[in-house]
Structure formats: structure tokens, C-alpha cells
Amino acid sequence: MAAGGLPAESAESAEDQAKGGLWAAFAGLTTRGRSFLAAGIAAAICAFVLGQEDLLRVGLLLAVLPLVCTVVLYRTRYRVAGSRKLAPGRVPAGAEARVQLRVDNVSRLPTGLLMLQDRVPYVLGPRPRFVLDRVEAGGKREVSYRVRSDLRGRYPLGPLQLRLTDPFGMCELTRAFSAYDTLTVIPRTEPLPPVRLSGEAAGYGDGRHRSLALAGEDDVIPREYRHGDDLRRVHWRSTARYGELMVRREEQPQRARCTVLLDTRDIAYAGAGPDSAFEWAVAGAASALVHMLERGFSVRLLTDTGSSVPGEGAGGFAGSTQDSSDSAGLMMDTLAVVDHSDGGGLSRAYDVLRGGNEGLLIGFFGDLDEEQAAVAAKMRRRSGAAVAFVLDSGLWMHGSEARGPVEERLRLLREAGWTALAVRPGAALPELWRLAGQERTNAGAAPGGAAGTAGGWS
């Protein structure tokens, strides 16, 4: 039952034979049908004891009616196909998605009363149920419902279940279609203000493309003319040299790079739920990824486990060889299901960054002890500029009166060249983002500041 509508198996599938055939159908007797059957048997017994033939006829009628309804319903050869359309298939937490169900009667007979039910996880809301009175031969019916979740994740929708019932309501038979869809709930993202860090190195900042410099016409590497090439790009000198039409190659833009590092260590966070510290960090990483892609950066997502997304392309960065929307979708799907890691350190992430020349580094850290703060400080050497958002574990865990050692950790990061800020409960990422830009600008303007070797962001 994939998006776009795939036919499901018909209502006369072999499911009943696999489960006991007609005898299994009797298990579908409703409360009314069981009551009629029990009353009929009781009346027949009383008629036999009392010798009342009229009562026996009534008892037989009451007992036979639900049995006849079950047999007729079981023998009814409806052929019904179902399909589902989910739009959109990826939504941010708290947003709604619309699910459209379609039932087609592909048999030559009209159906009776049908009950349509779709299975959805509890977190998405109540299970939707619809009653279809009658579907004519070759007809169709469409119904829809909405789903919503405040928790990110991947949730299966389906399989679709179809309940057949007789006109008297004596029996219900269920047919389950096999296909299902998946709804991906990604973290909420917030629009971030455009800020710029001072002291940009060449090739970084402002999200603009840096083209390869050409010293002159002699440095142009031509290629053969292809149908559809702009004639204004014809390189006449090479055309005369090779005897065939040659054109200048397109300029190869080089994008500024950005790595978003997400600390997922289980020991670094406390609490659970939409308002927990870990969910704040995940949502912050998602917002930073989307913002940097929109600004023209080549971006990758890196976790403390050393896993990098997308992991392919230009050195593992997305945005230079892929469409930005596809790149964002890939990383958002990863963030939708990211969970705590069992590892206790950031060394594997540091190993990934050892190559150097990684551009801008944006880190979202949980609780850092002295050892892990030292590892994070060394990451600064592998990047152009580095910005860290460190959760104040004391406030997140114990409330506003308790303070953790976050200030000492921030001092250590700042001495290594990071622009480091503490994140307290209720903090708004756009405001922290603006504050980070101001701090970096002030650091670059100060005498002896380290910004001269730093990258930029916007």
C-alpha cells in the first residue's frame, strides 16, 4: 500500500483457508450473532423439555439465522483493492500529515456494509475507522485522516484492514492487506539569523561559491562540443587546433565546508521526552544543517560514534554533488531516528576530523567531563572556525539553583579557539546563534585575536 496507490489483495484471498476455512469464519460472530445463537439453543432445549413445537420453531429460527449469515458472508466473493497515499511522507515534529485511503470494488457485485480500519502507532493518534455503506460494482470510495506526532521517529502506517458485515449485523469478517507506508517525523527546525564570523580564510564564509581561477586563455581545458551547448562557450583556438568544435568547460565551483557534530553519548544527557536536553541538541543540529545548506555550504553530519552522513561525494560532504534538498532529506532522516550511543568518548569523532581542512565546525555537546572537553578542544585544530553549544548539565538535571562545571569547560574550549556558549533550559537557538556571531566578531577585532586563521559562517 505504497504512496501513489498499489492494489492490495482481494477480499476473497486464501486467508480463511489458511486459518481453518469456514470454521474460522464462525469466530467472527458479533455479540448480536452469539446472543441469537445462544437464545435459539436455549429455546430449542426448553421446547424439547416442555414439548412445545412452536417454541422449537422460534428457537431454530434464532439459531439458524446467525449461522446462515456467516455462511452467506463467507461465500460472498467480493474483490476489493485498497491503496494509500501519504502526503507528505516526511514532516517535522508537531506537524500534520494527510493519509488518503481508497477502496476499489473490482468485482461484478456491489458490496455490503464495509468497515475500513487503518493501523497506526499510538503516538500518531487514535486508530482511524470508516464505515462504507455500499460500493457499487466497479466503484470506488475515498476517505482520509490526519496523523501527528510530537516525537521524531519513523512510524509504520498499516496494514489496512477491511471488515465485512452482513445486513443483520450477525457476523464480521476481517481482511488484512499486507502493504504499509512509513511516516518519517523529523526534528523541528528553527530559522537562524544570518551572521558572519570575522577573519574568514579564503574559500569560507557567506556561502558564496569560489570558482577556480584561470590565469588566461591558455589555461582553459576544452572539451568536445555537445548538442545543446551554448555557442558563446566555443573555444575557437582549440577548435582550430583539433579540427573539431570545442567548448570551454564549465567552471567548477568549490563550496565552503561545514561539519555539524552531534554528541549522542548516553552519559552526556539526562531525561527524555520532547523537552529533554538531548532533543534540544538534535533539533539544534537539524536547524544548523538546514541553515548552512541554504547558505550554500557543503555540509555533513557527524556523531560521536564517528559515523558521517552522507558519507559519500566530495569527501563525505553533501551539497557539492547532490541537490541541497536531497542532502537535507538524507541527514534529516538520520536525525529522525538518531538515539543515544553507548560510547563514552568523542575520540572516534576526533579521528574523522584528523584530515584537517574541514572548514567550519559546529558542535552540539552534552555534559563534558575534563577528559572529553580536552578531546573537543583538540578538534579545533582540524577546522577553520569552531562554534560549540554546550548544555549546562547542572541546570538541565537539577534545576535553576544548581550549576554544573560548564564554565570551566567553556573556558577550556575558548582557549583552544572555539566560540563556546552554554545552553540552559528554555534557551532559543536563534538567539544563541546571533550571540555566537557577535562573540566571534569581537574576538576577531581584539588585538592578537585568533580569528586570522579561522573560517567564517553566515
Side-chain angles (χ1 to χ4, degrees), residues 152-449:
R152 58 185 176 83
R154 292 173 62 89
Y155 302 102
L157 301 178
L160 184 64
Q161 292 182 334
L162 190 65
R163 289 187 180 182
L164 310 176
T165 184
D166 65 280
F168 298 101
M170 298 290 180
C171 181
E172 285 185 354
L173 297 182
T174 302
R175 302 288 192 264
F177 301 108
S178 60
Y180 64 93
D181 282 326
T182 300
L183 174 67
T184 302
V185 181
I186 62 176
R188 292 189 185 95
T189 59
E190 299 181 86
L192 302 180
V195 298
R196 177 167 176 162
L197 299 182
S198 61
E200 300 172 330
Y204 296 102
D206 212 23
R208 292 187 297 267
H209 293 178
R210 182 165 59 100
S211 302
L212 297 178
L214 299 177
E217 288 293 320
D218 294 336
D219 294 325
V220 175
I221 303 176
R223 62 168 175 82
E224 297 84 359
Y225 174 82
R226 298 171 187 168
H227 179 71
D229 285 338
D230 190 347
L231 292 178
R232 289 174 296 182
R233 293 177 49 231
V234 173
H235 192 253
W236 298 108
R237 182 179 299 179
S238 298
T239 299
R241 178 185 303 173
Y242 294 104
E244 58 179 322
L245 203 58
M246 307 291 288
V247 297
R248 293 187 297 270
R249 291 181 183 270
E250 296 177 354
E251 293 180 343
Q252 303 295 323
Q254 180 178 344
R255 290 187 172 188
R257 290 182 170 185
C258 174
T259 299
V260 177
L261 172 61
L262 175 62
D263 180 9
T264 64
R265 296 171 299 133
D266 187 34
I267 61 175
Y269 300 92
D275 297 326
S276 65
F278 182 65
E279 294 301 323
W280 190 98
V282 173
S287 300
L289 286 170
V290 172
H291 177 76
M292 301 311 291
L293 280 172
E294 290 176 348
R295 303 300 295 182
F297 280 70
S298 295
V299 183
R300 71 174 172 181
L301 172 66
L302 178 65
T303 66
D304 59 289
T305 62
S307 62
S308 177
V309 180
E312 298 178 358
F317 288 81
S320 33
T321 59
Q322 308 175 48
D323 184 76
S324 293
S325 60
D326 294 337
S327 305
L330 178 61
M331 290 182 284
M332 284 298 179
D333 288 346
T334 302
L335 289 176
V337 296
V338 70
D339 202 354
H340 292 292
S341 66
D342 296 331
L346 301 170
S347 58
R348 283 176 287 184
Y350 172 73
D351 291 339
V352 175
L353 296 172
R354 272 187 172 179
N357 192 26
E358 302 295 349
L360 175 63
L361 175 61
I362 304 175
F364 291 85
F365 297 102
D367 184 35
L368 294 174
D369 57 24
E370 186 174 354
E371 178 183 357
Q372 299 310 314
V375 176
K378 291 190 296 183
M379 295 179 183
R380 166 62 182 83
R381 308 172 194 168
R382 310 299 179 181
S383 62
V387 182
F389 300 96
V390 184
L391 274 72
D392 190 335
S393 58
L395 297 180
W396 284 91
M397 295 179 184
H398 307 294
S400 58
E401 298 300 326
R403 294 296 300 273
V406 66
E407 294 300 333
E408 179 64 23
R409 309 299 182 239
L410 294 178
R411 183 189 62 80
L412 182 61
L413 293 176
R414 288 165 181 163
E415 289 178 352
W418 285 81
T419 300
L421 293 90
V423 178
R424 297 178 173 85
L429 181 60
E431 183 59 32
L432 291 176
W433 192 266
R434 185 180 295 106
L435 182 60
Q438 294 173 356
E439 288 195 7
R440 187 63 189 178
T441 301
N442 295 336

Side-chain angles (χ1 to χ4, degrees), residues 4-27:
L6 295 180
E9 59 265 39
S10 68
E12 59 165 342
S13 65
E15 179 184 359
D16 285 352
Q17 286 77 1
K19 295 183 178 180
L22 183 59
W23 291 108
F26 288 117

Side-chain angles (χ1 to χ4, degrees), residues 84-86 97-101 118 143-145 147 157:
R84 179 190 296 105
K85 184 177 181 181
L86 175 63
R98 185 181 183 88
V99 183
Q100 185 172 356
L101 304 177
D118 206 10
V143 293
S144 64
Y145 65 94
V147 290
L157 301 178

